[in-house]
């Protein structure tokens, strides 16, 4: 270290004199000291004030320039040295050196800038202002096709520099994307796929950039899917495959890239991994099985990619996914059920799958998870059943297969995601009067629905419970169902639902309430009063923002309430005639006609 102090003193003198030989000796001595103890040497360099002199030594003509850049690269490995490097004015001369023709100067300059940018806002800002990124991208473009080892090393350093420059910084990543870095990196990957270090650097860069939404379109216009799948097929090491997965996952969120990945043969690779790893209990294999099956499900979220893999229900991929459902592996059961839910996104697929026995497979799966079951598997299987129940022709088939009984086993679940899907599945199934009547008289179900109507922490569960209560009344049109719902305390929730911000829910509530008023007014009278239904209807009719169908159904309901003495009195007290008579000139004909009828009814009964 004493020797180092002498060197630093000597360097101050020679830096001013510019005697190349002795300067070179001093620089060699510094590099040696940095190799032995980087942190301590860096501290000494900072303390000596020599950094400011380095700016004047970074000149293209000098034979020492590469060594000076090398020293800067080494000291900038230390976090505490990055801001001092910026403050010493080193960025601008380093960026100027990026125009050099000397490969060693370019290499060391790229390293220096990359290290200064690492996790340093000040470093990145200075490089940004000096215009360093564009020069590096131009180099990558022009050197892209040269495959000798020295050039590949330089390309790796430049990729690393851009990565450090933009990592976790959206605006700098967007800047690189606008400069056209993506097609260049994809080309690099294709040409240099034999070079592990460069390939790795490209993958990390892709991983960073792919998180940005604006990158997806650029990626989609390259052959990235083909290159990644080609690379994936060659990998045998878990770590390398994991790196590729980390790029594939964000890219596969884009529908165009989903299709490209399917066409490039990614699905076959994923199915092979699942087959290889399914029986392994090694941590790495379990993780890879999860990643591969999750990615498979993600590819099925695109309409085109999903339909391509469905192949009319005859496709190899669809058949393989079906075989996951009865497996003993929870991850595969989950992925299988989610895949079916994704295949079940159009009527044709749903009808084909129900006709070919998928419902029984899903019910068997649910049966295995009733007691202390896996919540994610329950949720996925219920999602699949809900989607399959959408086409009208499937409803009766699924009801006769016993789907409602299978689903009702989960009524005691305390998990909101399971509750939400359970409700959605039942609501899809009860279009038929008989099914709605059977379920609507199920006291346990109705009581649970009323309880969930108060689940204020879970808006989805609350909304679905209200909608199912309303649907049971609307589809069954049954006095017994209405009595069950009234006795379980459901009326107040339907009245609250009439004030929902969603028109469809308001409407469903009003129609259900009109049926209650028409069929069982005496039973429900007290509940309708205490829920302040009449005041709510007055508000809905007065409010100019209420949709025409809401106004229409509110008036139908008012007429139905006139059979109750106490509700009739409330209607009279609130001067409904004024509001209704204004609606006779409403632009919607149905509303205007109903206003006339309601006005007559109110006048006769007043």
């Amino acid at each position: 270290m004493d020797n180092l102090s002498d060197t630093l003193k000597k360097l101050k003198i020679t830096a001013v004199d510019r005697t190349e030989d002795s300067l070179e000796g001093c620089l060699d001595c510094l590099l040696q000291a940095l190799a032995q103890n980087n942190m301590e040497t860096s501290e000494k360099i900072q303390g000596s004030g020599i950094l400011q002199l380095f700016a004047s030594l970074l000149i293209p003509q000098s034979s020492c320039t590469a060594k000076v850049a090398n020293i800067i690269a080494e000291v900038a490995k230390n976090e505490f040295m990055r801001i001092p490097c910026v403050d010493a004015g080193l960025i601008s001369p380093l960026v100027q050196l990026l125009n050099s023709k000397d490969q060693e100067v370019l290499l060391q300059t790229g390293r220096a800038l990359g290290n200064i940018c690492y996790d340093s806002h000040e470093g990145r800002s200075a490089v940004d202002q000096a215009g360093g990124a564009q020069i590096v991208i131009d180099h990558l473009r022009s050197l892209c096709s040269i495959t000798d080892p020295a050039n590949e090393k330089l390309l790796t350093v430049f990729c690393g520099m851009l990565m450090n420059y933009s990592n976790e910084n959206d605006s700098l990543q967007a800047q690189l994307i606008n400069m056209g870095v993506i097609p260049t990196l994809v080309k690099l990957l294709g040409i240099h796929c034999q070079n592990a270090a460069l390939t790795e650097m490209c993958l990390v860069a892709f991983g960073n950039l792919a998180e940005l939404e604006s990158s997806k379109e650029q990626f989609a216009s390259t052959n990235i899917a083909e290159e990644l799948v080609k690379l994936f097929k060659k990998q045998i090491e878990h770590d390398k495959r994991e790196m590729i997965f980390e790029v594939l996952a964000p890219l596969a969120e884009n529908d165009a890239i989903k299709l490209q990945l399917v066409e490039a043969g990614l699905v076959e690779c994923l199915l092979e991994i699942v087959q290889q790893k399914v029986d392994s209990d090694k941590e790495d294999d379990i993780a890879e099985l999860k990643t591969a099956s999750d990615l498979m499900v993600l590819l099925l979220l695109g309409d085109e990619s999903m339909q391509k893999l469905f192949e009319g229900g005859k496709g190899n991929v669809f058949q393989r996914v079906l075989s996951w459902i009865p497996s003993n592996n929870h991850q595969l059961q989950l992925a299988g059920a989610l895949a079916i839910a994704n295949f079940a996104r159009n009527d044709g697929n749903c009808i084909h799958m129900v006709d070919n026995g998928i419902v029984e497979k899903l019910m068997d799966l649910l049966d295995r998870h009733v007691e202390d079951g896996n919540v994610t598997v329950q949720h996925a299987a219920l999602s699949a059943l809900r989607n399959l129940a959408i086409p009208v022709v499937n409803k009766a088939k699924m009801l006769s297969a016993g789907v409602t009984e299978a689903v009702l086993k989960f009524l005691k679940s305390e998990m909101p995601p399971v509750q939400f899907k359970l409700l959605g599945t039942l609501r899809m199934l009860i279009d038929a009067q008989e099914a709605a009547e059977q379920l609507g008289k199920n006291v346990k179900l109705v009581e649970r629905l009323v309880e969930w109507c108060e689940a204020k922490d879970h808006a989805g569960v609350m909304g679905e419970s209200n909608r199912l209560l309303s649907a049971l009344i609307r589809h069954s049109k049954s006095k017994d169902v209405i009595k069950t719902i009234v006795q379980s305390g459901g009326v107040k929730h339907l009245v609250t639902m009439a004030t929902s911000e969603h028109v469809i829910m308001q409407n469903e509530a009003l129609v259900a309430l009109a049926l209650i008023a028409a069929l069982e007014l005496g039973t429900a009278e007290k509940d309708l009063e205490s829920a302040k239904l009449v005041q709510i209807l007055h508000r809905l009719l007065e409010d100019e923002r209420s949709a025409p169908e809401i106004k229409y159904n509110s008036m139908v309901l008012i007429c139905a309430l006139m059979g109750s003495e106490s509700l009739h009195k409330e209607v009279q007290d609130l001067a409904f005639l004024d509001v209704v008579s204004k609606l006779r000139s409403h632009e919607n004909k149905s509303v205007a006609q109903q206003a006339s009828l309601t006005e007559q009814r109110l006048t006769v009964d007043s």
Side-chain angles (χ1 to χ4, degrees):
M1 279 300 154
D2 291 344
N3 196 4
L4 177 61
S5 302
D6 294 344
T7 303
L8 289 168
K9 280 176 197 162
K10 193 174 173 188
L11 190 55
K12 278 187 181 177
I13 299 160
T14 49
V16 178
D17 295 351
R18 297 281 165 87
T19 41
E20 299 260 330
D21 291 349
S22 48
L23 185 58
E24 199 146 347
C26 292
L27 296 172
D28 286 338
C29 192
L30 272 189
L31 284 167
Q32 222 172 342
L34 283 162
Q36 284 166 1
N37 188 333
N38 191 316
M39 191 187 264
E40 204 175 322
T41 306
S42 296
E43 283 170 350
K44 287 259 186 187
I45 289 172
Q46 191 189 358
S48 70
I50 202 91
L51 275 180
Q52 281 76 3
L53 286 177
F54 282 168
S56 63
L57 296 177
L58 290 169
I59 44 174
Q61 311 83 293
S62 166
S63 60
C64 300
T65 304
K67 283 183 181 168
V68 177
N70 188 357
I71 290 167
I72 297 167
E74 289 300 317
V75 300
K77 285 178 179 176
N78 301 288
E79 191 181 345
F80 66 87
M81 289 301 287
R82 289 169 201 150
I83 293 176
C85 284
V86 175
D87 292 344
L90 300 181
I91 302 297
S92 185
L94 282 169
V95 168
Q96 291 305 311
L97 286 179
L98 288 172
N99 297 306
S100 167
K101 298 280 182 280
D102 183 310
Q103 201 160 28
E104 183 62 15
V105 169
L106 287 174
L107 184 79
Q108 299 304 343
T109 303
R111 285 185 63 234
L113 289 168
N115 290 351
I116 292 170
C117 285
Y118 184 78
D119 227 1
S120 163
H121 169 70
E122 292 77 8
R124 291 169 181 181
S125 258
V127 174
D128 179 22
Q129 280 162 12
Q134 185 66 66
I135 305 172
V136 171
I137 290 175
D138 292 343
H139 275 305
L140 288 177
R141 240 177 241 132
S142 62
L143 300 170
C144 185
S145 307
I146 306 165
T147 54
D148 67 81
N151 188 62
E152 289 192 322
K153 193 176 175 187
L154 180 58
L155 290 170
T156 307
V157 164
F158 279 159
C159 282
M161 184 239 144
L162 289 179
M163 214 170 60
N164 287 354
Y165 171 70
S166 64
N167 189 29
E168 291 182 357
N169 184 311
D170 286 0
S171 64
L172 293 179
Q173 286 177 354
Q175 179 198 74
L176 295 184
I177 291 166
N178 291 337
M179 289 175 177
V181 74
I182 288 173
T184 306
L185 289 174
V186 174
K187 196 172 166 193
L188 269 183
L189 182 69
I191 294 169
H192 301 274
C193 56
Q194 303 302 330
N195 185 303
L198 184 48
T199 298
E200 206 165 298
M201 212 48 102
C202 285
L203 288 174
V204 179
F206 290 146
N208 288 346
L209 296 168
E211 296 293 341
L212 220 63
E213 210 38 58
S214 59
S215 72
K216 307 272 168 68
E217 271 178 46
Q218 273 211 28
F219 274 119
S221 65
T222 69
N223 63 336
I224 181 82
E226 201 183 314
E227 293 298 353
L228 287 174
V229 173
K230 204 158 63 182
L231 191 65
F232 192 84
K233 285 176 178 169
K234 287 183 197 160
Q235 303 307 324
I236 38 177
E237 290 171 49
H238 168 78
D239 291 352
K240 292 278 162 54
R241 288 213 290 231
E242 196 175 3
M243 277 189 88
I244 301 172
F245 272 139
E246 280 171 12
V247 180
L248 288 170
L251 285 180
E253 287 167 11
N254 176 280
D255 282 0
I257 300 175
K258 280 186 183 80
L259 188 60
Q260 291 168 8
L261 289 167
V262 167
E263 287 171 343
L266 178 62
V267 173
E268 288 71 16
C269 300
L270 298 176
L271 290 172
E272 203 175 313
I273 287 175
V274 168
Q275 203 169 349
Q276 287 166 4
K277 311 292 180 186
V278 67
D279 298 319
S280 171
D281 49 12
K282 279 197 210 150
E283 214 171 298
D284 278 358
D285 290 347
I286 293 167
E288 199 165 350
L289 175 80
K290 179 178 179 351
T291 309
S293 52
D294 284 350
L295 187 51
M296 180 80 202
V297 171
L298 181 57
L299 291 175
L300 292 172
L301 276 172
D303 288 339
E304 281 187 85
S305 50
M306 177 272 287
Q307 213 49 45
K308 191 174 176 66
L309 293 171
F310 189 65
E311 291 182 67
K314 309 250 184 311
N316 169 43
V317 174
F318 174 64
Q319 297 302 329
R320 290 277 285 277
V321 164
L322 273 188
S323 73
W324 293 355
I325 293 173
S327 111
N328 290 319
N329 183 303
H330 280 187
Q331 174 56 36
L332 279 195
Q333 293 171 359
L334 170 65
L338 287 172
I340 297 303
N342 285 345
F343 279 125
R345 284 210 317 281
N346 65 50
D347 284 6
N349 292 5
C350 288
I351 293 163
H352 177 90
M353 287 192 279
V354 168
D355 287 346
N356 284 276
I358 189 65
V359 170
E360 290 71 15
K361 284 189 171 69
L362 289 166
M363 280 164 42
D364 288 346
L365 177 59
L366 276 174
D367 242 9
R368 293 162 71 181
H369 287 276
V370 175
E371 297 302 325
D372 307 320
N374 182 304
V375 173
T376 51
V377 175
Q378 293 171 358
H379 179 257
L382 289 166
S383 295
L385 286 171
R386 181 198 172 280
N387 289 2
L388 290 165
I390 292 171
V392 176
V393 293
N394 281 355
K395 294 180 198 293
K397 293 173 189 170
M398 290 176 73
L399 286 167
S400 61
V403 171
T404 47
E405 293 77 5
V407 169
L408 286 171
K409 289 176 187 172
F410 294 91
L411 258 189
K412 54 184 182 286
S413 171
E414 293 303 330
M415 305 307 287
V418 174
Q419 296 166 354
F420 181 70
K421 288 297 175 186
L422 172 152
L423 292 163
T425 307
L426 290 176
R427 191 164 62 79
M428 284 300 151
L429 282 170
I430 60 159
D431 281 10
Q433 188 168 359
E434 194 185 330
E437 191 162 355
Q438 193 188 343
L439 280 175
K441 289 190 287 193
N442 179 331
V443 177
K444 269 188 181 159
L445 168 64
V446 173
E447 285 177 347
R448 195 69 161 131
L449 292 182
V450 170
E451 185 190 328
W452 285 342
C453 281
E454 290 170 8
K456 292 195 169 48
D457 294 343
H458 302 286
V461 172
M462 196 162 86
E464 276 293 339
S465 302
N466 278 304
R467 293 189 76 187
L468 184 52
L469 268 186
S470 155
L472 291 169
I473 295 169
R474 287 182 295 111
H475 295 307
S476 71
K477 301 180 178 61
S478 149
K479 288 186 166 208
D480 290 338
V481 169
I482 292 171
K483 280 179 188 161
T484 308
I485 288 172
V486 173
Q487 282 155 11
S488 303
V491 170
K492 63 179 179 189
H493 297 299
L494 291 170
V495 175
T496 306
M497 183 181 166
T499 64
S500 163
E501 58 196 35
H502 305 290
V503 173
I504 190 165
M505 285 177 69
Q506 280 186 293
N507 219 22
E508 287 171 359
L510 291 168
V511 173
L513 289 164
L515 283 164
I516 292 175
L519 298 171
E520 276 297 327
L521 186 55
T523 314
E525 186 178 48
K526 281 195 171 58
D527 288 351
L528 294 170
E529 263 183 82
S530 60
K532 306 230 178 329
L533 173 63
V534 173
Q535 289 89 322
I536 284 168
L537 293 174
H538 191 270
R539 242 186 1 251
L540 289 175
L541 289 173
E542 251 188 342
D543 190 345
E544 287 174 13
R545 292 165 303 176
S546 293
E549 58 267 42
I550 301 303
K551 291 189 186 292
Y552 178 87
N553 283 321
S554 296
M555 288 187 283
V556 169
L557 182 47
I558 286 292
C559 295
L561 295 177
M562 300 304 274
S564 151
E565 205 175 310
S566 55
L567 292 167
H568 184 168
K569 186 176 180 313
E570 281 189 28
V571 171
Q572 282 179 316
D573 291 349
L574 272 175
F576 264 83
L577 263 172
D578 302 348
V579 187
V580 171
S581 58
K582 281 180 196 162
L583 292 173
R584 279 186 10 220
S585 54
H586 196 279
E587 59 189 359
N588 182 295
K589 274 189 185 156
S590 302
V591 172
Q593 280 171 347
Q594 186 58 43
S596 294
L597 291 171
T598 308
E599 189 179 39
Q600 284 167 22
R601 182 74 197 269
L602 290 172
T603 312
V604 168
D605 290 340
S606 59

